[in-house]
Amino acid sequence: ADIPVIPDLEDVQEEDLAMQVAAPPSVQVNRVLTYHDLDKDLMKYAAFQTLDGEVDLKLLTKVLAPEHELREDDVSWNWDHLFTEVSSELVTEWDLGQSERED
C-alpha cells in the first residue's frame, strides 16, 4: 500500500489554460499634470520649496527657466549636409591656426 503509483493519463484531469484569460488588474489612474500646472503649483505652494523638510529649494525655483524658453523646434538632420558643415568648420579653424603659427 506504500508503493507510489503512476496515474494513468485518463485519470488526471489537467486544466486547459490556453482558453482561459486572466482578469485585467484594476489600477486607479490619476490625472497627469501639465508643465503649466506644475509651474503654477511650484510658485503657489511653499511646500515645494523644501525637500524632505531639510533641503531649501528656494534658490533653485527662482532660477528655473520657463517652459517656452526650453522648447526647441524639431530639425531633421541630413548626414551629408552636417558632415560638410562640420568638416568645413574644422578646416577653417585649422587654416586659422596655421596662419597664426606662420605670423
Side-chain angles (χ1 to χ4, degrees):
D2 293 316
I3 300 174
V5 177
I6 298 175
D8 290 331
L9 186 58
E10 295 148 358
D11 295 339
V12 178
Q13 294 179 351
E14 293 186 35
E15 293 182 32
D16 186 17
L17 297 178
M19 299 306 289
Q20 295 180 2
V21 178
S26 62
V27 177
Q28 181 181 4
V29 178
N30 296 330
R31 186 176 77 89
V32 177
L33 296 175
T34 62
Y35 284 120
H36 183 69
D37 294 338
L38 291 172
D39 285 341
K40 285 196 303 188
D41 287 345
L42 182 65
M43 296 306 167
K44 190 184 326 179
Y45 300 111
F48 287 116
Q49 294 182 356
T50 59
L51 182 64
D52 293 334
E54 298 175 7
V55 180
D56 187 13
L57 298 176
K58 290 177 187 171
L59 291 175
L60 177 64
T61 56
K62 288 180 183 178
V63 296
L64 285 176
E67 178 186 2
H68 65 86
E69 290 181 9
L70 300 176
R71 294 274 179 187
E72 293 181 355
D73 295 331
D74 290 336
V75 178
S76 60
W77 290 2
N78 180 346
W79 168 252
D80 295 328
H81 177 72
L82 184 63
F83 180 78
T84 304
E85 184 179 331
V86 170
S87 62
S88 66
E89 287 180 17
L90 290 174
V91 167
T92 304
E93 288 179 12
W94 185 73
D95 287 342
L96 287 174
Q98 289 291 345
S99 63
E100 288 177 359
R101 288 183 194 153
E102 291 175 358
D103 291 342

